[in-house]
Amino acid sequence: MNFELTSEQKEIRNMVSKFVKNEIIPVAGEYDEHGIFPKEQFKKAWELGLINTCIAPEYGGAGFSEVESVIIGEEVAYGCMGINTSFMANDLALLPIAIAGTHEQKEKFLKPFTQRFKIASFCLTEPSNGSDAAGIKTTIKDGGDHWIINGEKMWITNAGHADLFVLYGTIDPELKHKGISAVVIPADTEGIHLGKKEDKMGHRSSDTRGIRFENVKVPKDHMLGAPGEGWSIAMKTLDHSRPLVAASAVGGAKRALDESVKYSKERKQFGVSIAKHQGVSFMLADMAMKVEASRLLTYKAASLLDAGQRNTEIASYAKAFAADSCMQIATDAVQIYGGYGYSKEYPVEKIMRDAKLIQIYEGTSQIQRLVIARELLNK
Ligand SMILES: Cc1cc2nc3c(=O)[nH]c(=O)nc-3n(C[C@H](O)[C@H](O)[C@H](O)COP(=O)(O)OP(=O)(O)OC[C@H]3O[C@@H](n4cnc5c(N)ncnc54)[C@H](O)[C@@H]3O)c2cc1C
């Protein structure tokens, strides 16, 4: 067992950290305030090979391992969890193709993402079905030489800028998870109606919308796997994406910790820096322990995938623990800043708003516990 990153991994971390310091941190506050989509930063990150890390070198990808992908995610989220959400959503959308696509589908859908800057969205959630994803109502009907898609999706990240949608629907709602199927839909296909950009508490630079699909037609070869295989594809996708979300939580939490350490050494009350008060320093100690434990779980969830092993249970440990810790750490950071923590002038207020979403998307913290309990009880 080796807890050290390789020299190559350290180099990747340093390169991303430099990019984040120069390109993301300076704009994060303004983009959050005005809800500006980080297209310029997205494109620069793509040029550095930091986007679409799930694409294999065979199809033009940079060839990063899962561990390297979470290292990148942590660093980007250190700069801004919201901007990281936009970046990460591309991988979330392309993962089903990387996992279940045929060679021809990977050539057709993945390769263009490595040749030109393009954006993708993952469309699973619906207005009436979030946690209960097996109950989705969007239909995928056989139209002879094509599929016909009808339904509504909700909370779709990157929707307003996407070139490609990967959508989950059902061939028959009565079949529940056995009817779920996945199709790839180019964004210029007729019948796609985008909803308004949601006005969110946090991750305000990411573009989130509902989408209505009305008699949308795609060729038969746009289905990933066979009809009814979509549920298994979605679950495998989440095994890969949950460590990435956990990494985002680690990045946000580490930033909150660093800002708190700095501030608590500068701010004086009762004649000494507040860090000298044990009540504050113990909060910092708890924050540091949680950051490290979250990171180790995240690395473990990612390295199991690199070793070709099933990681469902550990991915849920990492996602739930890192998300809940990030929320706690961000709240404590605001506490350490006192009244100033409650002001938009200091960075911890935004981190607290951003942290909340990590406990909600890609399976809430309750759903992670449901997955863990199911895995434990079915052993
Ligand atoms: C900003 C943002 C971006 C998003 N991006 C995407 C995206 O790109 N693509 C996409 O498909 N989706 C996306 N989502 C959707 C997200 O994954 C869902 O919001 C999430 O899965 C929760 O679903 P819900 O909102 O319908 O809540 P619900 O499922 O209605 O849950 C409400 C509450 O009930 C609890 N609950 C539900 N069932 C159980 C249970 N069995 N046991 C215990 N508690 C339970 C939940 O934990 C939660 O606290 C995004 C959401 C947001 C807010």
Side-chain angles (χ1 to χ4, degrees), residues 122-125 130-131 155-157 200 208 357 360-362 364 366-367 370:
F122 176 87
C123 308
L124 175 63
T125 307
S131 302
W155 302 118
I156 305 306
T157 302
K200 308 189 297 293
T208 319
L357 181 59
I360 295 173
Y361 66 8
E362 293 201 41
T364 65
Q366 288 73 38
I367 293 304
L370 199 131

mmCIF file of all heavy atoms in Angstrom, residues 122-125 130-131 155-157 200 208 357 360-362 364 366-367 370, ligand 1:
data_model
loop_
_atom_site.group_PDB
_atom_site.id
_atom_site.type_symbol
_atom_site.label_atom_id
_atom_site.label_comp_id
_atom_site.label_asym_id
_atom_site.label_seq_id
_atom_site.Cartn_x
_atom_site.Cartn_y
_atom_site.Cartn_z
ATOM 1 N N PHE A 122 -26.160 15.120 -19.483
ATOM 2 C CA PHE A 122 -26.661 13.799 -19.044
ATOM 3 C C PHE A 122 -28.106 13.995 -18.596
ATOM 4 O O PHE A 122 -28.364 14.759 -17.656
ATOM 5 C CB PHE A 122 -25.776 13.357 -17.886
ATOM 6 C CG PHE A 122 -26.144 12.065 -17.188
ATOM 7 C CD1 PHE A 122 -25.671 10.846 -17.649
ATOM 8 C CD2 PHE A 122 -26.910 12.082 -16.022
ATOM 9 C CE1 PHE A 122 -25.961 9.670 -16.970
ATOM 10 C CE2 PHE A 122 -27.205 10.900 -15.335
ATOM 11 C CZ PHE A 122 -26.723 9.693 -15.815
ATOM 12 N N CYS A 123 -29.055 13.339 -19.258
ATOM 13 C CA CYS A 123 -30.477 13.605 -19.006
ATOM 14 C C CYS A 123 -31.160 12.389 -18.395
ATOM 15 O O CYS A 123 -31.682 11.524 -19.121
ATOM 16 C CB CYS A 123 -31.184 13.966 -20.297
ATOM 17 S SG CYS A 123 -30.397 15.275 -21.224
ATOM 18 N N LEU A 124 -31.163 12.329 -17.073
ATOM 19 C CA LEU A 124 -31.823 11.229 -16.376
ATOM 20 C C LEU A 124 -33.028 11.756 -15.587
ATOM 21 O O LEU A 124 -34.159 11.285 -15.754
ATOM 22 C CB LEU A 124 -30.821 10.537 -15.430
ATOM 23 C CG LEU A 124 -31.362 9.419 -14.528
ATOM 24 C CD1 LEU A 124 -31.881 8.243 -15.363
ATOM 25 C CD2 LEU A 124 -30.274 8.903 -13.570
ATOM 26 N N THR A 125 -32.804 12.784 -14.763
ATOM 27 C CA THR A 125 -33.846 13.275 -13.846
ATOM 28 C C THR A 125 -35.038 13.876 -14.592
ATOM 29 O O THR A 125 -34.876 14.509 -15.629
ATOM 30 C CB THR A 125 -33.227 14.339 -12.918
ATOM 31 O OG1 THR A 125 -32.066 13.773 -12.308
ATOM 32 C CG2 THR A 125 -34.198 14.796 -11.850
ATOM 33 N N GLY A 130 -36.707 11.891 -9.373
ATOM 34 C CA GLY A 130 -35.302 12.180 -9.160
ATOM 35 C C GLY A 130 -34.633 10.958 -8.554
ATOM 36 O O GLY A 130 -34.042 10.129 -9.264
ATOM 37 N N SER A 131 -34.793 10.799 -7.228
ATOM 38 C CA SER A 131 -34.198 9.627 -6.563
ATOM 39 C C SER A 131 -34.758 8.326 -7.133
ATOM 40 O O SER A 131 -34.029 7.355 -7.317
ATOM 41 C CB SER A 131 -34.493 9.682 -5.060
ATOM 42 O OG SER A 131 -33.977 10.871 -4.514
ATOM 43 N N TRP A 155 -33.496 19.702 -14.344
ATOM 44 C CA TRP A 155 -32.191 19.921 -13.701
ATOM 45 C C TRP A 155 -31.027 19.429 -14.554
ATOM 46 O O TRP A 155 -30.118 18.780 -14.037
ATOM 47 C CB TRP A 155 -32.140 19.184 -12.342
ATOM 48 C CG TRP A 155 -33.185 19.562 -11.382
ATOM 49 C CD1 TRP A 155 -34.141 18.736 -10.865
ATOM 50 C CD2 TRP A 155 -33.411 20.844 -10.785
ATOM 51 N NE1 TRP A 155 -34.954 19.429 -10.001
ATOM 52 C CE2 TRP A 155 -34.523 20.734 -9.938
ATOM 53 C CE3 TRP A 155 -32.775 22.082 -10.899
ATOM 54 C CZ2 TRP A 155 -35.011 21.804 -9.209
ATOM 55 C CZ3 TRP A 155 -33.264 23.147 -10.173
ATOM 56 C CH2 TRP A 155 -34.368 22.997 -9.338
ATOM 57 N N ILE A 156 -31.066 19.720 -15.844
ATOM 58 C CA ILE A 156 -30.014 19.188 -16.710
ATOM 59 C C ILE A 156 -28.862 20.198 -16.838
ATOM 60 O O ILE A 156 -29.019 21.286 -17.408
ATOM 61 C CB ILE A 156 -30.579 18.788 -18.103
ATOM 62 C CG1 ILE A 156 -31.753 17.802 -17.917
ATOM 63 C CG2 ILE A 156 -29.491 18.206 -18.984
ATOM 64 C CD1 ILE A 156 -31.458 16.565 -17.070
ATOM 65 N N THR A 157 -27.709 19.786 -16.289
ATOM 66 C CA THR A 157 -26.519 20.645 -16.286
ATOM 67 C C THR A 157 -25.967 20.793 -17.705
ATOM 68 O O THR A 157 -25.892 19.803 -18.436
ATOM 69 C CB THR A 157 -25.447 20.050 -15.349
ATOM 70 O OG1 THR A 157 -26.008 19.942 -14.048
ATOM 71 C CG2 THR A 157 -24.193 20.913 -15.290
ATOM 72 N N LYS A 200 -30.360 29.498 -9.193
ATOM 73 C CA LYS A 200 -30.019 28.569 -8.111
ATOM 74 C C LYS A 200 -29.338 29.243 -6.914
ATOM 75 O O LYS A 200 -28.767 30.318 -7.026
ATOM 76 C CB LYS A 200 -29.087 27.470 -8.658
ATOM 77 C CG LYS A 200 -29.615 26.782 -9.912
ATOM 78 C CD LYS A 200 -28.800 25.571 -10.284
ATOM 79 C CE LYS A 200 -27.361 25.844 -10.648
ATOM 80 N NZ LYS A 200 -27.192 26.608 -11.902
ATOM 81 N N THR A 208 -28.323 25.259 -15.725
ATOM 82 C CA THR A 208 -29.207 24.137 -15.384
ATOM 83 C C THR A 208 -30.607 24.426 -15.902
ATOM 84 O O THR A 208 -31.159 25.493 -15.612
ATOM 85 C CB THR A 208 -29.277 23.970 -13.843
ATOM 86 O OG1 THR A 208 -27.989 24.149 -13.278
ATOM 87 C CG2 THR A 208 -29.818 22.611 -13.449
ATOM 88 N N LEU A 357 -25.254 21.568 -2.788
ATOM 89 C CA LEU A 357 -25.656 20.778 -3.960
ATOM 90 C C LEU A 357 -24.991 19.407 -4.004
ATOM 91 O O LEU A 357 -25.572 18.440 -4.507
ATOM 92 C CB LEU A 357 -25.345 21.559 -5.259
ATOM 93 C CG LEU A 357 -25.744 20.855 -6.564
ATOM 94 C CD1 LEU A 357 -27.229 20.556 -6.618
ATOM 95 C CD2 LEU A 357 -25.328 21.676 -7.769
ATOM 96 N N ILE A 360 -26.925 16.713 -2.849
ATOM 97 C CA ILE A 360 -28.191 16.475 -3.556
ATOM 98 C C ILE A 360 -28.013 15.754 -4.890
ATOM 99 O O ILE A 360 -28.680 14.749 -5.154
ATOM 100 C CB ILE A 360 -28.940 17.827 -3.766
ATOM 101 C CG1 ILE A 360 -29.339 18.418 -2.404
ATOM 102 C CG2 ILE A 360 -30.177 17.635 -4.654
ATOM 103 C CD1 ILE A 360 -29.934 19.828 -2.469
ATOM 104 N N TYR A 361 -27.101 16.275 -5.770
ATOM 105 C CA TYR A 361 -27.096 15.652 -7.113
ATOM 106 C C TYR A 361 -26.265 14.366 -7.179
ATOM 107 O O TYR A 361 -25.507 14.048 -6.308
ATOM 108 C CB TYR A 361 -26.754 16.653 -8.215
ATOM 109 C CG TYR A 361 -25.369 17.273 -8.283
ATOM 110 C CD1 TYR A 361 -24.304 16.881 -7.505
ATOM 111 C CD2 TYR A 361 -25.140 18.299 -9.211
ATOM 112 C CE1 TYR A 361 -23.062 17.467 -7.624
ATOM 113 C CE2 TYR A 361 -23.899 18.896 -9.341
ATOM 114 C CZ TYR A 361 -22.872 18.467 -8.541
ATOM 115 O OH TYR A 361 -21.640 19.047 -8.666
ATOM 116 N N GLU A 362 -26.526 13.633 -8.268
ATOM 117 C CA GLU A 362 -25.950 12.284 -8.490
ATOM 118 C C GLU A 362 -26.226 11.344 -7.322
ATOM 119 O O GLU A 362 -25.359 10.589 -6.894
ATOM 120 C CB GLU A 362 -24.468 12.383 -8.809
ATOM 121 C CG GLU A 362 -24.299 13.074 -10.149
ATOM 122 C CD GLU A 362 -22.984 12.810 -10.814
ATOM 123 O OE1 GLU A 362 -22.523 11.661 -10.778
ATOM 124 O OE2 GLU A 362 -22.448 13.768 -11.371
ATOM 125 N N THR A 364 -28.751 11.683 -3.693
ATOM 126 C CA THR A 364 -28.644 12.447 -2.448
ATOM 127 C C THR A 364 -27.863 11.643 -1.403
ATOM 128 O O THR A 364 -27.621 10.441 -1.582
ATOM 129 C CB THR A 364 -30.050 12.741 -1.880
ATOM 130 O OG1 THR A 364 -30.650 11.487 -1.531
ATOM 131 C CG2 THR A 364 -30.936 13.483 -2.878
ATOM 132 N N GLN A 366 -28.976 10.627 1.287
ATOM 133 C CA GLN A 366 -29.863 9.539 1.756
ATOM 134 C C GLN A 366 -29.783 8.361 0.772
ATOM 135 O O GLN A 366 -29.710 7.201 1.184
ATOM 136 C CB GLN A 366 -31.325 10.019 1.857
ATOM 137 C CG GLN A 366 -31.604 10.978 3.004
ATOM 138 C CD GLN A 366 -31.023 12.369 2.765
ATOM 139 O OE1 GLN A 366 -31.021 12.884 1.659
ATOM 140 N NE2 GLN A 366 -30.503 12.976 3.826
ATOM 141 N N ILE A 367 -29.780 8.666 -0.518
ATOM 142 C CA ILE A 367 -29.734 7.581 -1.521
ATOM 143 C C ILE A 367 -28.390 6.848 -1.444
ATOM 144 O O ILE A 367 -28.332 5.627 -1.608
ATOM 145 C CB ILE A 367 -30.031 8.132 -2.938
ATOM 146 C CG1 ILE A 367 -31.483 8.622 -3.018
ATOM 147 C CG2 ILE A 367 -29.733 7.106 -4.034
ATOM 148 C CD1 ILE A 367 -32.573 7.613 -2.654
ATOM 149 N N LEU A 370 -28.775 4.418 1.199
ATOM 150 C CA LEU A 370 -29.636 3.326 0.727
ATOM 151 C C LEU A 370 -28.793 2.310 -0.075
ATOM 152 O O LEU A 370 -28.913 1.104 0.112
ATOM 153 C CB LEU A 370 -30.703 3.959 -0.169
ATOM 154 C CG LEU A 370 -31.965 3.206 -0.445
ATOM 155 C CD1 LEU A 370 -33.145 4.153 -0.179
ATOM 156 C CD2 LEU A 370 -32.030 2.782 -1.882
HETATM 157 C C1 LIG B 1 -28.081 22.075 -9.819
HETATM 158 C C2 LIG B 1 -28.474 20.672 -10.163
HETATM 159 C C3 LIG B 1 -27.857 20.028 -11.229
HETATM 160 C C4 LIG B 1 -28.278 18.755 -11.618
HETATM 161 N N1 LIG B 1 -27.729 18.166 -12.744
HETATM 162 C C5 LIG B 1 -28.311 17.028 -13.231
HETATM 163 C C6 LIG B 1 -27.920 16.513 -14.525
HETATM 164 O O1 LIG B 1 -27.033 17.049 -15.196
HETATM 165 N N2 LIG B 1 -28.571 15.424 -15.000
HETATM 166 C C7 LIG B 1 -29.551 14.791 -14.303
HETATM 167 O O2 LIG B 1 -30.099 13.802 -14.795
HETATM 168 N N3 LIG B 1 -29.925 15.244 -13.060
HETATM 169 C C8 LIG B 1 -29.334 16.349 -12.531
HETATM 170 N N4 LIG B 1 -29.727 16.834 -11.308
HETATM 171 C C9 LIG B 1 -30.805 16.163 -10.592
HETATM 172 C C10 LIG B 1 -30.379 15.519 -9.283
HETATM 173 O O3 LIG B 1 -29.615 14.373 -9.531
HETATM 174 C C11 LIG B 1 -31.652 15.265 -8.458
HETATM 175 O O4 LIG B 1 -32.110 16.537 -8.009
HETATM 176 C C12 LIG B 1 -31.416 14.335 -7.295
HETATM 177 O O5 LIG B 1 -31.174 13.025 -7.750
HETATM 178 C C13 LIG B 1 -32.599 14.318 -6.308
HETATM 179 O O6 LIG B 1 -33.802 14.153 -6.962
HETATM 180 P P1 LIG B 1 -35.034 15.145 -6.636
HETATM 181 O O7 LIG B 1 -34.532 16.526 -6.740
HETATM 182 O O8 LIG B 1 -36.157 14.752 -7.504
HETATM 183 O O9 LIG B 1 -35.384 14.862 -5.111
HETATM 184 P P2 LIG B 1 -36.335 13.709 -4.565
HETATM 185 O O10 LIG B 1 -35.975 12.409 -5.190
HETATM 186 O O11 LIG B 1 -37.742 14.157 -4.682
HETATM 187 O O12 LIG B 1 -35.903 13.662 -3.030
HETATM 188 C C14 LIG B 1 -36.388 14.613 -2.076
HETATM 189 C C15 LIG B 1 -35.849 14.198 -0.705
HETATM 190 O O13 LIG B 1 -36.332 12.890 -0.356
HETATM 191 C C16 LIG B 1 -35.259 12.033 -0.041
HETATM 192 N N5 LIG B 1 -35.555 10.671 -0.488
HETATM 193 C C17 LIG B 1 -36.086 10.273 -1.663
HETATM 194 N N6 LIG B 1 -36.199 8.945 -1.714
HETATM 195 C C18 LIG B 1 -35.706 8.471 -0.535
HETATM 196 C C19 LIG B 1 -35.531 7.168 0.019
HETATM 197 N N7 LIG B 1 -35.875 6.074 -0.648
HETATM 198 N N8 LIG B 1 -34.990 7.076 1.255
HETATM 199 C C20 LIG B 1 -34.621 8.192 1.962
HETATM 200 N N9 LIG B 1 -34.761 9.451 1.468
HETATM 201 C C21 LIG B 1 -35.288 9.582 0.247
HETATM 202 C C22 LIG B 1 -34.058 12.614 -0.818
HETATM 203 O O14 LIG B 1 -32.821 12.207 -0.229
HETATM 204 C C23 LIG B 1 -34.317 14.111 -0.671
HETATM 205 O O15 LIG B 1 -33.851 14.538 0.582
HETATM 206 C C24 LIG B 1 -29.277 18.086 -10.873
HETATM 207 C C25 LIG B 1 -29.870 18.732 -9.758
HETATM 208 C C26 LIG B 1 -29.498 19.998 -9.419
HETATM 209 C C27 LIG B 1 -30.186 20.672 -8.260
#
